[in-house]
Every structure is written in structure tokens, then in C-alpha cells.
């Protein structure tokens, strides 16, 4: 990896390197193992910085957990993808629970801190980030809804939802911890640049189980009263605006999740800048969401430095070790 980074630097590029993301989640084999994760992170970053020498100044190592809403994502028989959470029936599981039980009540639950056990220390981190998504108003996430205007901030700062859906947005203030001037004593001095490491507003456009389309309970598709552009652009407008960026001045970049995939019961369009997916009843203008976002920028929603694929950011490049297709927007 050091050789790969070095080759990019020799080619005149700078590098964003998001390593081992979403380590607080239960869907990666390295997830929810805070002591092991911190040791591995420190060892890898130390090795890479030593191997790169002075060129390490041209690399930003990004530490990026998942946003705390939904934490701790315990084992769920209906969602086998989340199967790496600790099992208290095993010695290993009980040890991990003791590492994750930040409030000391003997239980690994939503009241525990989703970030601090995994933080490797300021000297090992250049930027911090979060994966942040909106799926709709309420589980099971079938409906296409305009995201609440304060949802993004709620997720960023752990502000509990006050809406009728009681959708938990988490409890801990990530930005305050790592990007504000005050930081959090004993863990971080704060002041780290912040990147939204992954984001998207999902648009539900088809059922995973095709037989549902013929059943009155479900209908041909998930409800599509709102357009793809309305759903997605409301999400971006909630944080890509001058007032929000002035409130959070260390917020510097956004990466979008440009994927269409099925999760749980629906096929979900996470993409923002590419063509809309097509189904029998979902025929959207190819780039309506991107066109609407561009118009917002023209109307001075906010300014941005560059818009590029993950292959290059002006004279930089994003290295992302989770096989995601990302688009970067760097903000002034």
C-alpha cells in the first residue's frame, strides 16, 4: 500500500486515504472490536507514515465510523449481514462487551458511546468522517420521504429526533468531539477537518420480492409520489448551505455513495449524479437529481471547490478500502 500511495505522490497527486471504515458497525469482520482496531490502526498508520517519510504530509488519513443512529446494531436474525456484534455467551464476546460498555452498566446498548472506544488518537488521524444516510421516516423503510430538515445535524451531533416517528439519530456529538475547538478531554483536542465519508438519500423503486407487486397490500412499487430529485436534493440542501457550513466550519468535504442495491425489502437507489435506475414503473429523467443539485449551486446554495469521480480530485486522489464508488465534493 505504501508503494501505491508513493506512486500517486510521484505522479503529482495528494491522497485521501479512508482506512477500515465503519469499524463501529457489526457488518465488517473487524467491526466492534475496539481494542484490536485501535492497535491495528496505530500500527498501520505508523508504518505507512514511516515508509512515506516527508511525503506523508501529502496524505490525509481519514478515520470514519458509521453515524451513531441505530447503534449498536445487535445481531438480527432478519438481517444476517449484521452478524459480527459480540456474543455474550462466549469469552471473546464478553471481553468485547466490556470494551464497548462505556457507561459501565454491564450491557452493550444504545446508551454506549459509538465513537470514543474506536478512536486511535489525534496523532494517528488527519481527518475525521462519518457514513450518513437517510432511508425514510420509519422502519421498515419502504416510503420515499422528504428528509427532515434537521436530521443531518441530528446525526452529526447526536441530537435525538423530536418528530412523531421517534427515529433515533444517535446520542453523541461527533463534530463536537473531533472537529470543534473544545474537542473532548482525554480523547481528542478537536479541530480535525470533517468529511462526510459516505452519504445518500435512498429512493425506493422496486420490491425485492417481485410477487409483492401483485398484492394490494404493497402495490406495484414502493410509493413514488415524490420524485427522486425532491427526495435527494432535500437531503443535500439541509447541510450544503451557507448557514450550516458557517455553524460547522471544519466541515470540508462530501463523498456520495453512487450505488443501486437491494436491502431488506426494497431495491434502493443511493446514487445522486448518475442515471436513475429503471423499472417498469420508474422512468425518471437520466440525471434529474444532479441537474437539480447543480441548479441549487447556481442559486448560491453554497460554493464548492471541485466535483470529480473517486479516480481524481483535481490533483488529488481518493483511496477507499471498501470497494465503493464515490464522488467527492470539496467545499470552500
Amino acid at each position: 500500500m505504501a508503494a501505491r500511495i508513493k506512486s500517486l505522490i510521484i505522479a503529482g497527486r495528494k491522497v485521501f486515504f479512508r482506512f477500515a471504515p465503519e469499524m463501529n458497525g457489526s457488518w465488517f469482520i473487524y467491526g466492534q472490536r475496539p481494542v484490536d482496531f485501535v492497535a491495528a490502526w496505530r500500527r498501520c498508520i505508523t508504518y505507512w507514515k514511516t515508509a512515506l517519510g516527508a511525503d506523508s504530509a501529502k496524505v490525509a488519513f481519514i478515520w470514519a465510523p458509521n453515524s451513531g443512529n441505530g447503534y449498536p446494531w445487535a445481531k438480527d436474525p432478519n438481517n444476517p449481514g449484521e452478524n459480527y456484534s459480540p456474543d455474550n455467551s462466549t469469552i471473546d464476546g464478553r471481553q468485547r462487551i466490556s470494551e464497548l460498555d462505556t457507561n459501565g452498566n454491564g450491557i452493550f446498548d444504545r446508551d454506549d458511546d459509538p465513537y470514543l472506544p474506536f478512536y486511535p488518537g489525534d496523532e494517528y488521524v488527519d481527518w475525521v468522517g462519518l457514513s450518513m444516510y437517510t432511508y425514510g421516516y420509519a422502519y421498515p423503510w419502504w416510503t420515499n420521504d422528504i428528509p427532515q430538515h434537521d436530521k443531518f445535524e441530528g446525526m452529526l451531533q447526536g441530537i435525538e429526533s423530536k418528530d412523531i416517528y421517534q427515529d433515533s439519530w444517535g446520542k453523541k456529538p461527533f463534530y463536537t468531539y473531533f472537529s470543534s475547538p473544545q474537542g473532548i478531554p482525554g480523547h481528542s483536542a478537536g479541530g480535525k477537518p470533517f468529511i462526510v465519508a459516505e452519504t445518500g438519500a435512498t429512493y425506493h423503486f422496486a420490491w425485492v420480492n417481485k410477487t409483492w407487486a401483485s398484492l394490494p397490500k404493497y402495490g406495484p412499487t414502493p410509493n413514488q409520489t415524490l420524485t427522486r430529485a425532491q427526495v435527494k436534493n432535500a437531503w443535500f440542501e439541509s447541510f450544503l448551505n451557507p448557514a450550516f457550513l458557517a455553524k460547522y466550519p471544519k466541515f470540508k468535504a462530501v463523498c456520495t455513495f453512487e450505488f443501486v442495491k437491494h436491502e431488506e425489502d426494497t431495491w434502493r437507489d443511493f446514487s445522486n449524479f448518475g442515471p436513475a435506475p429503471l423499472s417498469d414503473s420508474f422512468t425518471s429523467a437520466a440525471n434529474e437529481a444532479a441537474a437539480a443539485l447543480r441548479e441549487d449551486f447556481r442559486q448560491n446554495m453554497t460554493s464548492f471547490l471541485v466535483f470529480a469521480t473517486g479516480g481524481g480530485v483535481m490533483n488529488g486522489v481518493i483511496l477507499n478500502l471498501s470497494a465503493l464508488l464515490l464522488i467527492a465534493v470539496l467545499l470552500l
Side-chain angles (χ1 to χ4, degrees):
M1 181 55 68
R4 170 62 173 155
I5 296 172
K6 190 76 171 181
S7 69
L8 294 167
I9 292 171
I10 291 172
R13 298 176 179 235
K14 295 181 180 179
V15 179
F16 277 134
F17 189 167
R18 186 182 74 146
F19 175 57
E22 299 178 358
M23 76 301 296
N24 58 343
S26 60
W27 45 89
F28 291 134
I29 194 170
Y30 57 81
Q32 299 191 348
R33 295 179 173 273
V35 172
D36 292 342
F37 172 82
V38 167
W41 178 282
R42 291 174 174 174
R43 183 169 61 250
C44 289
I45 301 305
T46 298
Y47 174 82
W48 288 323
K49 285 191 172 184
T50 300
L52 292 168
D55 283 334
S56 65
K58 299 176 181 177
V59 182
F61 291 100
I62 303 171
W63 176 79
N66 201 81
S67 59
N69 53 303
Y71 190 78
W73 305 290
K75 288 182 183 294
D76 180 355
N78 297 316
N79 191 0
E82 296 179 0
N83 58 2
Y84 292 108
S85 58
D87 182 349
N88 66 6
S89 69
T90 68
I91 294 175
D92 173 73
R94 289 191 292 273
Q95 175 59 38
R96 289 166 59 196
I97 289 172
S98 71
E99 298 166 4
L100 294 160
D101 178 23
T102 59
N103 63 4
N105 68 352
I107 304 171
F108 179 37
D109 59 19
R110 69 190 299 266
D111 292 323
D112 291 312
D113 197 299
Y115 308 125
L116 293 182
F118 305 92
Y119 191 60
D122 287 348
E123 63 268 41
Y124 299 97
V125 174
D126 297 311
W127 284 50
V128 296
L130 284 175
S131 296
M132 306 174 74
Y133 291 93
T134 179
Y135 292 88
Y137 286 159
Y139 187 83
W141 318 124
W142 289 355
T143 59
N144 292 307
D145 304 308
I146 296 294
Q148 299 96 319
H149 69 92
D150 55 349
K151 183 173 186 177
F152 183 95
E153 184 175 25
M155 293 164 66
L156 180 65
Q157 286 289 71
I159 304 168
E160 283 289 342
S161 168
K162 297 297 190 294
D163 64 29
I164 62 173
Y165 299 99
Q166 297 298 303
D167 179 20
S168 174
W169 296 342
K171 293 189 172 186
K172 303 301 178 181
F174 185 91
Y175 185 94
T176 298
Y177 277 2
F178 306 110
S179 297
S180 74
Q182 61 264 40
I184 178 167
H187 296 277
S188 175
K192 296 291 185 184
F194 173 78
I195 180 173
V196 182
E198 293 180 27
T199 195
T202 56
Y203 196 86
H204 307 272
F205 67 94
W207 303 114
V208 172
N209 185 338
K210 294 181 178 180
T211 64
W212 285 16
S214 61
L215 300 177
K217 177 181 178 180
Y218 303 105
T221 66
N223 184 282
Q224 293 174 11
T225 302
L226 297 170
T227 69
R228 181 173 178 255
Q230 287 174 314
V231 171
K232 294 176 180 295
N233 283 73
W235 176 242
F236 286 102
E237 288 167 0
S238 71
F239 59 91
L240 290 183
N241 64 76
F244 190 92
L245 297 175
K247 186 175 181 179
Y248 298 101
K250 283 294 183 177
F251 185 167
K252 299 296 183 182
V254 180
C255 287
T256 65
F257 187 68
E258 297 298 306
F259 260 58
V260 174
K261 64 176 183 175
H262 63 81
E263 290 181 333
E264 297 164 310
D265 297 322
T266 62
W267 277 93
R268 297 172 179 176
D269 168 28
F270 291 89
S271 63
N272 301 277
F273 300 107
L278 299 178
S279 69
D280 290 343
S281 61
F282 182 41
T283 55
S284 174
N287 290 291
E288 62 164 356
L293 185 60
R294 283 196 301 271
E295 183 58 30
D296 282 335
F297 281 119
R298 291 192 184 101
Q299 298 297 323
N300 296 316
M301 182 172 76
T302 189
S303 55
F304 62 93
L305 178 62
V306 67
F307 166 77
T309 66
V313 181
M314 291 187 72
N315 65 334
V317 65
I318 295 172
L319 289 184
N320 177 49
L321 297 189
S322 62
L324 301 174
L325 175 62
L326 296 174
I327 292 194
V329 180
L330 301 188
L331 308 176
L332 291 175

